[in-house]
Amino acid sequence: MHQRLTNKVKSGLKYSILDGAAHSSMLGFGEHYLLAYAIFLSASDLQLALVAALPIFLASIAQLYSVRLMNKMHTRKNATVTFSAIQAIIWIPVILTYFLNTNKISSLIFFVTLYWIFGLMTNPIWTSWIGDLVPKNVRGRFFGKRSLVTAFYVFISFVMGGFILTYAKGTLGNEFLGFAIIFGLAMLARFISTLFLSKQYEPKLRINSENEFSLKDFLFHFKKRFKRGHFNTLVLYLSFMSFALYLSAPYIVANLLKSLNFTYLQYTISTAA
């Protein structure tokens, strides 16, 4: 099966798995600790909800314009590499919000929003790219392997982040240093991910006019597609699931760290489990 793949495709699949490992490390070291960082910066419950939900909401809207930006950058590869590099850089101001005298949480929300915007705008472009790169006859095996690798690295990096925060707060007596270290590692991981993306082969984009539709068309024909069991059913399911998730997620973290006074290691173990 693999013998039929060209060298470019084989190389592209390898770099995609490496990109997945690095990107997942960014999630484990950084993204999964953003709410904990907001609590460290003395965010209220309402501010925690805004940190968790507002950036994703605004980024979801911005995602609708990702294809337009991709067209200006000429290729999916250029757009994905550019957006991922910018996302990596945003970890710097996220760390530096600690040194602000006022508006720390507002600034954090702003930079986390930028983080999510460039992250989510990458998704549809990357999905199109990887869909053309991976041959149909190896998709099951490839994505199974990639999912296993990404799950392993996000778990390991998340646990390591918990140990680093616990050591920094307990032994070193400097909680901020722990966040600076794990967010610095998240930035490094995203830069490594960007490097692998830049080396990944991009097949020529083939556009099927039948699959092109505007947001207006999507909403207008939603009911008809829903009755036919098209992907609108999946969209509706994911919408409700995401609504429920982000309705409760920030308060779970607040309950563990603020009400139950979990240590970072206890929070990490309970969340990872």
Side-chain angles (χ1 to χ4, degrees), residues 78-130:
N78 287 344
T80 302
V81 169
T82 300
F83 294 159
S84 62
I86 295 174
Q87 188 183 38
I89 294 172
I90 292 172
W91 283 109
I92 296 175
V94 167
I95 296 172
L96 295 179
T97 53
Y98 170 76
F99 297 103
L100 296 177
N101 294 323
T102 58
N103 300 319
K104 288 185 178 181
I105 303 302
S106 299
S107 299
L108 180 64
I109 292 172
F110 174 75
F111 292 122
V112 171
T113 299
L114 291 180
Y115 166 87
W116 276 103
I117 285 176
F118 287 103
L120 287 189
M121 283 201 304
T122 302
N123 286 353
I125 303 171
W126 178 87
T127 301
S128 170
W129 179 6
I130 200 70

Side-chain angles (χ1 to χ4, degrees), residues 11-246:
S11 175
L13 298 183
K14 179 189 72 173
Y15 283 122
S16 178
I17 290 178
L18 293 173
D19 156 56
H23 179 265
S24 297
S25 297
M26 178 195 70
L27 300 182
F29 281 125
E31 188 175 306
H32 291 345
Y33 284 105
L34 283 172
L35 288 178
Y37 185 54
I39 291 175
F40 167 66
L41 296 179
S42 303
S44 65
D45 289 342
L46 176 59
Q47 288 173 326
L48 279 177
L50 291 175
V51 172
L54 184 60
I56 299 176
F57 172 72
L58 296 176
S60 299
I61 297 174
Q63 193 176 29
L64 299 173
Y65 300 94
S66 60
V67 175
R68 294 183 184 180
L69 290 174
M70 181 200 72
N71 291 333
K72 293 183 178 181
M73 296 180 184
H74 305 297
T75 68
R76 293 170 292 185
K77 184 174 184 176
N78 287 344
T80 302
V81 169
T82 300
F83 294 159
S84 62
I86 295 174
Q87 188 183 38
I89 294 172
I90 292 172
W91 283 109
I92 296 175
V94 167
I95 296 172
L96 295 179
T97 53
Y98 170 76
F99 297 103
L100 296 177
N101 294 323
T102 58
N103 300 319
K104 288 185 178 181
I105 303 302
S106 299
S107 299
L108 180 64
I109 292 172
F110 174 75
F111 292 122
V112 171
T113 299
L114 291 180
Y115 166 87
W116 276 103
I117 285 176
F118 287 103
L120 287 189
M121 283 201 304
T122 302
N123 286 353
I125 303 171
W126 178 87
T127 301
S128 170
W129 179 6
I130 200 70
D132 288 343
L133 174 64
V134 183
K136 291 183 179 179
N137 61 338
V138 299
R139 282 182 181 173
R141 181 181 300 180
F142 170 78
F143 284 113
K145 181 179 179 180
R146 193 178 191 277
S147 296
L148 180 63
V149 170
T150 56
F152 173 78
Y153 274 89
V154 74
F155 175 79
I156 292 299
S157 57
F158 183 63
V159 171
M160 287 178 61
F163 276 105
I164 292 171
L165 285 174
T166 301
Y167 181 78
K169 181 179 180 180
T171 304
L172 301 180
N174 190 339
E175 193 171 351
F176 168 71
L177 179 61
F179 280 108
I181 291 173
I182 64 172
F183 289 165
L185 290 172
M187 179 178 65
L188 177 62
R190 190 48 164 159
F191 274 128
I192 294 174
S193 163
T194 303
L195 176 63
F196 289 138
L197 286 170
S198 69
K199 293 179 177 294
Q200 185 175 300
Y201 166 64
E202 179 188 5
K204 184 178 180 180
L205 176 62
R206 294 179 175 85
I207 300 176
N208 186 347
S209 59
E210 295 181 358
N211 294 330
E212 289 189 342
F213 54 85
S214 64
L215 177 62
K216 181 180 179 181
D217 294 333
F218 174 78
L219 295 175
F220 183 77
H221 298 290
F222 186 91
K223 186 176 181 180
K224 181 170 65 176
R225 289 197 184 100
F226 181 76
K227 288 182 177 180
R228 293 179 180 178
H230 286 183
F231 72 94
N232 294 46
T233 308
L234 178 62
V235 171
L236 195 62
Y237 163 74
L238 292 175
S239 298
F240 281 113
M241 184 179 70
S242 298
F243 176 81
L245 174 64
Y246 289 105

